[in-house]
């Protein structure tokens, strides 16, 4: 009995923390429509800051708490709202998600920059020195009692604010209809600022309360707090009472699992993953949302890739890889060789997110599955294992997608993130499983597994140079496949579905089947990337395929341009070539280099067409000027020969490789100024400002008036025909 | 298009839809016969689009049934209904904005090809439809760059590519100029003559009176009159509803 009580208290304490955090999340989501993935990271930063004030600088506890919870927390919330979130109104789900995920990555990197990881930072709970309170059958620590008390106070406080205070009522109104709030006379900006201030403060409170348990570690603390998101989903991200109920369910389940789950190596991970499992189950039983029509007029534009462009891209990639493979040293090849396998994983996002508008935050989990298959079935270098990697990853992708199909937007993101956490925290860490003694399921064998290089016709491709070329060729082929899909029936269908599921359904399209196939396709591609990644790493462990890496890849692929294969290459190059290169050139940058991916996502995630689109535009004149292009190719080839004959070293070669295209682009621009202007003129038309901004963003013309009339369905006749 | 012998007809019986406390449709009954254009008119907010949503299965009614060819479709999803021969356009245009005119129609043709046993080539079918709706000149233009009137034609073309037996048009002429509307009227009559059952929601009274065989008048979610265009124009309830809603 007392064991039961003890773990009830453990569970209720967790529930209290989840409730505090989740109610902050609901507050910001309902008032601004932005699901803040970085909510947990805000709590993490608060816990670190509190620790700094209280234990490093020796401030008294009340002062440290007041400064963190009532000054820094709200200020940070207001800062997020005004600087970042306000600009996201009217953007697509994907963009909102990328910005808040990038914020999460940025905040983790920031914490690691300020508080170097790997150092023990004990954070005792409140009144930890005092004797626990005796409840007869069991005891409760002061920290637990305070936590539960605070949660009750938060519940009562929120209820009072939302039902009594004027601004609180306005906040509830904003939940229903933002424009209505304006009509009612409240200032929506003020309302959302207040919501973000309160929400961030609640995250901070939760962060400080939870941190003494797991300890101060930036990434795991931020993601641990993700557990609280499951509670918010209970309330469909809207209802606070249901959110509290959800928190209690999740907290108690976790508490009892801690108490009663047999302590063995199979099940400990399950306890850690239990909030994610519950989240997944809750998403399964959520009522079906109505079919989506066109939501926002998105400004994204991904031109249909041309066949010539596609082949050019593929050839350039392969030539680039050959040059690298023949010039770099083995250690460098191992570092930069990751570009192409990861690039394939990034490519898997293009059909799924870019074409179909679905969201997956678990692509590296699929890659991990491909890697495991490669490790076990590819022992001895059997290339057929690659096929199995694709098929098995695709099958798992379909299974994950099945429940996810009914979901969209933020729920889909949460569902796939939950899946990634379940793999990360539990399944990937399982020891060998014996299924009824019939056969063994062996994933990472509780640590790491080694992977053999692929062997073909008796030749083992185990040197890093050959592996890089194999991966690059595979990348190029997959890129061609993706482009072929884009140009064909499936591509059109996916783009159509992204725009309007309602229209597709009323035309007779089976949405479930279409989504299932694109999920399977995408997971299969990711599995292939993972398998090649595994052969390159030679030894793989769960840490290679974590949620955080999926988040990073997702965000940076969107920054690059999720609608085109170039975006995938951009992401892989930025993360796995540019960043390591930066650290090599400038060793002290290692401290802050981690801030870059998150920073890029926050800043650039809004450009709906991606950076690659702009790069491509920049190179258009060069592609048109054939002579200059040919000269550039010759120059590059010359530099390559000089490098091979050791006349110049790697650095000079790299400088030339960057310099030549730049010079050539400038030369092309000078040689054909008229062609360039014409191209720019065309572009202007495509990219004209949306109708509602005409006259504001640019002068109003008569043509605009006509178009507006047509848009509104007015006819001259009708205008004069009013009785 | 549709062969003459498989007679299609749409029937809506006793459909009621409530949004919270508001009654958007109140016991609505309506029928559309093959070979006819059936008009559905009414002031803004009367519930016309909501009725289309119920018929196509995008919205479940609180009460009532929808049948096609005497088959009860009330429990079916939008995809199944579409495959039974139902198609619609959207008042709030639901075009595939990243695709060209040709690709928009092709998507629909490919969908039909995917589930039906039709032998014909979708690419050719698309070209025929482009000519039919008169958008040959802009076939390769992205639909986002087109004026609304032409966008509505693309939506119609998309419907035709699914070879529907029942076609629901939600304000298809708004955004069209007078010549476009006149051409559109001709096309509508042709479609009906081929055996399609067309339901037309439209504010352009002249067009409605011109092409419809029967007109239903919806006001505040209730059908207040049904009859031929001539009857409707004289109906006192209709006049009252229209004057009541348009008088300053
Ligand atoms: N999704 C919805 N939620 C709440 N009310 C709705 C919804 N859709 C339509 N309505 C209401 O139902 C009524 C009928 O709307 P609608 O069918 O669009 O009218 P019409 O097409 O005849 O102009 C209107 O009062 C409208 O505000
Ligand atoms: Mg309408």
């Amino acid at each position: 009995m007392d064991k039961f009580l003890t773990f009830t208290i453990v569970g209720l304490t967790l529930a209290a923390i989840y409730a505090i955090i989740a109610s902050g999340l609901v507050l910001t989501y309902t008032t601004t429509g932005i699901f803040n993935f970085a909510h947990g990271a805000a709590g993490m930063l608060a816990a670190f800051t509190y620790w700094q004030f209280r234990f490093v600088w020796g401030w008294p506890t009340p002062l440290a708490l007041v400064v963190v919870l009532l000054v820094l927390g709200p200020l940070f919330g207001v800062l997020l709202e005004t600087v970042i979130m306000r600009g996201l109104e009217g953007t697509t789900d994907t963009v909102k998600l990328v910005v808040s995920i990038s914020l999460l990555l940025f905040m983790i990197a920031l914490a690691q920059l300020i508080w170097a990881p790997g150092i023990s930072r004990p954070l005792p709970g409140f009144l930890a020195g005092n004797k626990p309170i005796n409840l007869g059958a069991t005891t409760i620590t002061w920290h637990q009692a305070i936590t539960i008390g605070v949660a009750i106070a938060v519940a009562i406080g929120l209820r009072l604010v939302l039902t009594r205070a004027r601004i609180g009522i306005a906040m509830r109104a904003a939940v229903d209809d933002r424009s209505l709030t304006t009509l009612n006379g409240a200032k929506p900006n003020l309302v959302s600022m207040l919501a973000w201030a309160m929400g961030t403060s609640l995250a901070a409170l939760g962060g400080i309360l939870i941190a003494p348990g797991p300890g101060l570690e930036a990434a795991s603390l931020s993601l641990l707090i993700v557990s609280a998101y499951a509670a918010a989903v209970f309330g469909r991200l809207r209802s606070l009472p249901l959110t509290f109920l959800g928190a209690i369910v999740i907290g108690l389940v976790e508490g009892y699992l801690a108490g009663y789950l047999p302590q063995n190596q199979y099940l400990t991970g399950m306890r850690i993953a239990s909030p994610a499992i519950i989240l997944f189950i809750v998403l399964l039983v959520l009522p079906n949302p109505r079919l989506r029509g066109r939501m926002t007029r998105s400004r994204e534009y991904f031109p249909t890739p041309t066949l010539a462009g596609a082949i050019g891209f593929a050839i350039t990639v392969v030539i680039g890889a050959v040059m690298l493979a023949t010039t770099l040293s083995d250690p460098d090849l191992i570092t930069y060789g990751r570009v192409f396998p990861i690039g394939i994983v990034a490519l898997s996002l293009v059909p799924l997110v870019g074409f179909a508008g679905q969201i997956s935050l678990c692509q590296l989990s699929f890659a991990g599955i491909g890697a495991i298959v490669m490790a076990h079935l590819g022992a001895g270098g059997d290339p057929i294992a690659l096929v199995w990697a694709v098929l098995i990853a695709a099958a798992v992708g379909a299974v994950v997608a099945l429940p996810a199909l009914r979901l969209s937007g933020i729920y889909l993101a949460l569902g796939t993130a939950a899946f990634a956490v379940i793999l990360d925290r539990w399944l990937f860490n399982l020891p060998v499983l014996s299924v009824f003694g019939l056969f063994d399921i062996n994933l990472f064998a509780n640590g790491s597994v080694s992977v053999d290089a692929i062997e073909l016709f008796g030749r083992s491709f185990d040197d890093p140079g050959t592996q890089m070329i194999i991966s690059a060729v595979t990348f190029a082929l997959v890129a061609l496949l993706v482009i072929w899909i884009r140009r064909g029936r499936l591509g059109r269908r996916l783009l159509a579905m992204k725009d309007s599921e309602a229209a597709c359904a009323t035309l007779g399209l089976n949405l479930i089947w279409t989504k299932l196939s694109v999920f399977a396709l995408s997971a299969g591609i990711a599995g292939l990337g993972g398998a090649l990644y595994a052969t390159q790493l030679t030894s793989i462990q769960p840490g290679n395929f974590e949620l955080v890496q999926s988040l990073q890849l997702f965000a940076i692929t969107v920054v690059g341009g999720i609608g085109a294969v170039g975006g995938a290459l951009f992401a892989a190059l930025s993360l796995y070539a540019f960043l390591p290169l930066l650290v090599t050139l400038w060793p002290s940058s290692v401290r802050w280099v981690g801030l870059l991916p998150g920073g890029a996502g926050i800043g650039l995630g809004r450009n709906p067409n991606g950076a690659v689109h702009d790069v491509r535009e920049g190179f258009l004149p060069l592609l048109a000027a054939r002579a200059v292009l040919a000269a550039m190719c010759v120059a590059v080839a010359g530099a390559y020969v000089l490098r091979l004959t050791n006349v110049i070293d790697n650095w000079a070669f790299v400088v030339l490789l960057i310099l030549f295209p730049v010079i050539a682009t400038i030369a092309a621009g000078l040689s054909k100024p008229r062609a360039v202007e014409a191209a720019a003129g065309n572009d202007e038309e495509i990219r004209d400002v949306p109708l509602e901004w005409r006259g504001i963003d640019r002068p109003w013309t008569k043509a605009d008036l006509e178009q507006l009339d047509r848009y509104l369905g007015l006819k001259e006749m009708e205008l004069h025909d009013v009785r | 298009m549709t062969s003459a012998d498989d007679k299609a007809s749409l029937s809506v019986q006793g459909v009621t839809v409530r949004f919270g406390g508001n009654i958007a449709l109140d016991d609505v009954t309506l029928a559309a016969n093959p070979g006819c254009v059936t008009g559905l008119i009414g002031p803004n907010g009367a519930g016309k689009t909501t009725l289309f949503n119920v018929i196509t299965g995008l919205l479940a009614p609180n009460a009532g049934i929808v049948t096609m060819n005497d088959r009860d479709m009330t429990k079916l999803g939008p995809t199944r209904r579409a495959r039974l021969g139902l198609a619609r356009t959207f008042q709030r245009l639901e075009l595939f904005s990243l695709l060209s005119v040709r690709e928009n129609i092709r998507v629909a043709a490919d969908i039909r090809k995917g589930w039906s046993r039709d032998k014909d080539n979708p690419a050719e079918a698309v070209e025929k439809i482009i000519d039919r709706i008169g958008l040959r000149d802009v076939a390769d233009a992205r639909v986002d760059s087109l004026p609304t009137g032409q966008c509505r034609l693309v939506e119609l073309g998309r419907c035709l590519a699914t070879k529907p037996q029942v076609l629901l048009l939600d304000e298809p002429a708004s955004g069209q100029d007078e010549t476009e509307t006149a051409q559109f009227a001709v096309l509508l009559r042709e479609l009906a003559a081929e055996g399609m059952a067309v339901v037309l929601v439209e504010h352009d009274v002249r067009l409605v009176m011109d092409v419809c065989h029967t007109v239903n008048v919806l006001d505040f979610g209730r059908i207040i009159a049904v009859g031929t265009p001539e009857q409707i124009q004289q109906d006192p309830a209709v006049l009252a509803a229209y004057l009541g809603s348009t008088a300053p």
Side-chain angles (χ1 to χ4, degrees), chain A residues 290-302 304 354-355 486-493 495-511 686 707-715 717-718 721-723, chain B residues 19 53 56 58-59 78-79 82-83 86-88 90 92-99 103-104 106-108 110-115 142 144-149 158-159 162 173-178 180-181 203-204 206 243 246 248:
Chain A
R290 281 188 55 200
L291 273 186
R292 204 162 45 88
R294 287 185 69 174
M295 310 285 271
T296 40
R297 264 162 62 83
S298 79
R299 295 197 199 182
E300 64 184 358
Y301 174 52
F302 308 123
T304 317
F355 301 168
R486 167 67 180 82
R487 291 168 54 87
R489 199 178 60 179
L490 180 58
R492 283 193 299 265
R493 190 171 282 186
L495 288 173
M497 190 174 70
K498 170 157 91 171
D499 243 333
S500 176
E501 293 188 352
C504 283
T506 56
L507 291 170
L509 181 68
N510 185 336
L511 295 173
I686 293 168
Q707 204 178 345
L708 186 65
D709 281 355
R710 288 181 161 179
Y711 196 78
L712 295 175
L714 297 177
K715 289 182 217 167
M717 198 192 77
E718 277 176 9
D721 211 32
V722 187
R723 257 175 292 180
Chain B
F19 292 115
N53 287 343
T56 46
L58 293 175
L59 181 72
T79 304
R83 293 186 181 186
L86 181 64
R88 76 172 286 188
F90 294 84
R92 250 193 77 220
L93 291 175
E94 295 276 345
L95 284 172
F96 308 137
S97 61
L98 295 166
L99 303 178
E103 288 173 319
N104 262 271
R106 181 69 187 270
V107 168
D110 282 338
I111 291 173
R112 161 134 195 134
K113 178 85 181 167
W115 61 264
R142 245 184 94 191
D144 252 18
S145 64
L146 298 185
T148 316
R158 218 168 54 175
C159 291
T162 68
S174 78
Q176 293 183 340
D177 63 27
E178 259 183 290
E180 283 172 331
T181 307
H203 281 305
D204 186 334
R206 203 189 295 167
L243 289 176
T246 53

Side-chain angles (χ1 to χ4, degrees), chain A residues 334-345:
Chain A
I334 288 168
T335 306
Y336 299 114
R338 294 180 300 173
V339 166
F340 297 106
I342 294 291
I344 296 173
V345 181

Side-chain angles (χ1 to χ4, degrees), chain A residues 563-588:
Chain A
V565 293
L569 185 64
F570 174 93
L573 280 175
S574 319
L575 292 172
Y576 293 86
F578 175 70
L579 294 188
L581 188 66
L582 191 66
V583 174
T584 315
L585 288 175
W586 186 4
S588 67

Side-chain angles (χ1 to χ4, degrees), chain B residues 43-50 52 88 91-92 170-171 201 203:
Chain B
N44 275 328
K48 306 179 294 290
T49 303
T50 304
F52 275 12
R88 76 172 286 188
Q91 178 184 0
R92 250 193 77 220
D170 201 343
E171 307 199 9
V201 165
H203 281 305

Side-chain angles (χ1 to χ4, degrees), chain B:
Chain B
M1 291 267 131
T2 43
S3 53
D5 47 37
D6 52 21
K7 288 264 170 187
S9 83
L10 171 78
S11 149
V12 173
Q13 285 150 36
V15 163
T16 300
V17 171
R18 275 185 287 271
F19 292 115
N22 296 342
I23 294 204
L25 290 178
D26 187 3
D27 197 17
V28 169
T29 295
L30 174 143
N33 294 321
C36 295
V37 180
T38 307
L40 177 62
I41 61 172
N44 275 328
K48 306 179 294 290
T49 303
T50 304
L51 183 60
F52 275 12
N53 287 343
V54 169
I55 296 173
T56 46
L58 293 175
L59 181 72
N62 296 86
I65 57 169
V66 178
T67 60
M68 234 173 80
N69 298 331
D70 295 326
R71 174 172 179 164
D72 186 355
M73 303 197 299
T74 321
K75 293 262 160 4
L76 303 184
T79 304
R80 292 285 303 283
R81 297 186 195 200
R83 293 186 181 186
L84 289 172
L86 181 64
R88 76 172 286 188
T89 67
F90 294 84
Q91 178 184 0
R92 250 193 77 220
L93 291 175
E94 295 276 345
L95 284 172
F96 308 137
S97 61
L98 295 166
L99 303 178
S100 68
V101 170
R102 178 179 281 116
E103 288 173 319
N104 262 271
I105 300 169
R106 181 69 187 270
V107 168
D110 282 338
I111 291 173
R112 161 134 195 134
K113 178 85 181 167
W115 61 264
S116 72
R117 290 203 201 105
D118 288 2
K119 287 281 182 306
D120 54 351
N121 178 343
E124 285 166 15
V126 169
E127 297 310 317
K128 277 191 202 132
I129 290 172
I130 290 177
D131 284 332
R132 187 152 200 205
I133 57 177
L135 293 184
R136 170 71 45 204
D137 293 343
V138 290
D140 288 312
R142 245 184 94 191
V143 290
D144 252 18
S145 64
L146 298 185
T148 316
Q150 292 187 333
C151 286
R152 299 211 180 273
L153 289 175
V154 178
E155 281 215 346
L156 174 62
R158 218 168 54 175
C159 291
L160 295 182
T162 68
K163 301 189 183 168
Q165 299 176 13
V166 176
L167 177 62
L168 313 178
L169 302 172
D170 201 343
E171 307 199 9
S174 78
Q176 293 183 340
D177 63 27
E178 259 183 290
T179 34
E180 283 172 331
T181 307
Q183 285 166 356
F184 185 71
V186 175
L187 180 56
L188 273 188
R189 283 200 205 91
E190 272 175 33
L191 291 174
E194 284 164 16
M196 226 177 263
V198 180
V199 182
L200 175 67
V201 165
E202 187 47 66
H203 281 305
D204 186 334
V205 177
R206 203 189 295 167
L207 175 67
V208 173
M209 297 306 163
D210 225 25
V211 298
C212 291
H213 300 82
T214 320
V215 178
N216 298 260
V217 186
L218 195 61
D219 190 32
F220 289 114
R222 294 168 149 250
I223 297 279
I224 56 167
V226 188
T228 62
E230 294 75 34
Q231 289 167 334
I232 291 299
Q233 273 167 314
Q234 259 119 62
D235 191 301
V238 177
L239 293 177
Y242 263 82
L243 289 176
S245 66
T246 53

Side-chain angles (χ1 to χ4, degrees), chain A residues 293-369:
Chain A
R294 287 185 69 174
M295 310 285 271
T296 40
R297 264 162 62 83
S298 79
R299 295 197 199 182
E300 64 184 358
Y301 174 52
F302 308 123
T304 317
T306 59
L307 217 52
I311 293 169
F313 177 82
I315 291 177
T316 312
V317 165
V318 173
I319 290 180
V322 169
M323 285 187 177
L324 287 177
T326 45
T327 52
L328 291 179
S329 67
D330 275 6
D332 280 348
L333 276 174
I334 288 168
T335 306
Y336 299 114
R338 294 180 300 173
V339 166
F340 297 106
I342 294 291
I344 296 173
V345 181
L347 273 179
S348 75
L349 286 166
V350 173
L352 185 68
V353 186
F355 301 168
Q358 305 294 305
I359 287 171
S360 162
L361 300 181
C362 60
Q363 289 312 94
L364 276 185
S365 310
F366 295 139
I369 291 164

